[in-house]
Amino acid sequence: TRSLLGVFEEDAAAISNYVNQLFQAMHRVYDAQNELSAATHLTSKLLKEYEKQHFPLGGDDEVMNSTLQQFAKVIDELSSCHAVLSTQLADAMMFPITQFKERDLKEILTLKEVFQIASNDHDAAIIRYSRLSKRRENEKIKAEVTEDVYTSRKKQHQTMMHYFCALNTLQYKKKIAVLEPLLGYMQAQISFFKMGSENLTEQLEEFLTNIGTSVQNVRREMECEIENMQQTIEDLEVASDPLYLPDPDPAKFPVHRNLTRKAGYLNARNKTGLVSSSWERQFYFTQGGNLMSQARGDVAGGLVMDIDNCSVMAVDCEDRRYCFQITSFDGKKSSILQAESKKDYEEWICTINNISKQIYLSENPEEIAARVNQSALEAVTPSPSFQQRHESMRPTVQSRSPAARTSSTGSLGSESAVLSALSLDSLVAPDTPIQFDIISPVSEDLPGQAKSSGQSGSILHQLFIVRFLGSMEVKSDESPDVVYETMRQILAARAIHNIFRMTESHLLVTCDCLKLIDPQTQVTRLRFPLPSVVLYATHQENKRLFGFVLRTSGGRADSRQTSICYIFESNNEGEKICDSVGLAKQIAFHAELDRKASEKQKEMERVKEKQQKELTKQKQIEKDLEEQSRLIAASNRSNPSSGEGQFVVLSSSQSEDSDLGEDGKKKRESET
């Protein structure tokens, strides 16, 4: 577009140069009658040179060239005549060309300056918008910069359309500005001299009539074209209003995920040092299996990268949004680019992903891309057999030794050796939704939890960097195959829905729980009690992937126990994390055995202490009875005839035989 605009601007400059010369020639005719002859000669000369002018858009107009040649011939014949009256020349000749020079040509120059200013303002606004921070505290600045982009883009679009309209109109005005003054000049000459010569009148009358009719036709055609262009401008302004926003509403402009060609402006990151970098805005487009770029003013684009069999992924790049990285198939070359909006960001990733599969080589690339995406969508639906689904995913699973398998997996329950007969419904609930982000509310550690964590941390306290991929409910927690199946479904769903962001956290493994901690605020996002972690495993091929099954109470329909599988990605530490979890469970198990043994010992000590207390109490009672008997015997010896001793004995024995009847009491008294 700018190259074509340059051609129009070059044409406008040529028209301006030529009209200025013609104006000077006519002005000489108007200024001085003494120079009339020389001025008409120069005018005739310039008319003859019209066909030698290099107009990029109208240099091959033969009708115009022949017409001007005839004018030049007539003016040569009139060069020996007297000058016309200045008033007639001013009204008929100088006024049209002066108006064209002072109004139309200056309007072109003014619109050119306004368009350049608007273009520079739009570039500056785009640069400020591209530098927006991702933090939420910049919402006010973001709104201001977005409004600035909207205003500058709308201003640039409006000035551009009016500028283009003026350049198109100039092609008609150019003819009128040249022909109309000449027509007025000749009419003034005829009127002034009252040329009665039939030869001269016969030569010019028909010719001037035809020229006048031609000028009127050109004027009507120009007015019609101007009206059509004005209507087009109004329609374009209404239709383009939503596009002035840098990040349009995705509901009104949906993302096209089946594209195999795309073009648009992107910001490319260029490293300027070890840690510093700069961003450059260029026009990028795809051409077959190549990614091309074209700088402003260049005639053609240059090759950036071969994107056949390449990999593309979203990246977090400093404080810039909508960034993605393209890596060549051999991994030797990569580029980090920034899109202007979320829609362009997702479309670029999908387009490059489709091109990398060489779909563009087929006859109907968009249809095949839609079919491939649909096939990927069907990959997460239940398949008839669990064994068939895993034959391509785990080709070496049968050759793994039991020791190697148990080194990265663990379970509290018994593991089933063969699951080939199980269906998918026995492992994963068919209508289970997948959670791609941590949805539990963040909470600080409770004092009791922090204390227990600190106590267990003295035995085991290991920290790992992980990224959460997703979680879903499962129906079985007896085999690591449940974890493998959950990994497959979550990764397939992420690829289908183009979900690339992952939440990074710190996984803390202790003897009583697993914690997901925010790396910046140190706030606990999720806490998993260690006894509830019943199964954990790492992927057989990709050691960065690992997951565990958490058994909780309360399902989706009732209060039954449910099992949820959580999948994470680490920095090649999947087996280490599983080993750490296994060690924590072993320590917790031995700690539980020690605790139960301690409690049993304490219980035995308490029983022994109770028995000792009972024995001491019994001895005390016997001692009291013995002392009482001794006192009674001493009293009887001191008063043998007294009945008081008899009463004392009765009183002491009455407490023991309170249940005796009247006969029993009399018998006891007689015995006493």
Side-chain angles (χ1 to χ4, degrees), residues 392-408:
S392 59
M393 178 181 175
R394 298 184 287 123
T396 60
V397 67
Q398 299 296 334
S399 62
R400 293 174 61 91
S401 63
R405 182 168 183 173
T406 56
S407 64
S408 62

Side-chain angles (χ1 to χ4, degrees), residues 100 330 365 398 425:
F100 175 76
D330 55 2
Q398 299 296 334
D425 291 341

Side-chain angles (χ1 to χ4, degrees), residues 148-201:
D148 190 13
V149 173
Y150 173 87
T151 305
S152 61
R153 182 169 289 178
K154 184 174 183 179
K155 180 181 177 182
Q156 183 196 22
H157 192 199
Q158 291 175 342
T159 55
M160 177 182 66
M161 290 189 294
H162 288 290
Y163 183 33
F164 291 175
C165 178
L167 288 175
N168 290 331
T169 308
L170 184 64
Q171 299 303 314
Y172 299 95
K173 291 183 178 180
K174 173 187 68 175
K175 300 178 181 180
I176 296 174
V178 175
L179 296 178
E180 195 170 21
L182 295 175
L183 180 62
Y185 172 76
M186 295 306 303
Q187 290 175 345
Q189 288 284 16
I190 295 172
S191 176
F192 177 74
F193 288 107
K194 296 182 180 179
M195 297 180 63
S197 174
E198 294 182 358
N199 294 332
L200 187 59
T201 303

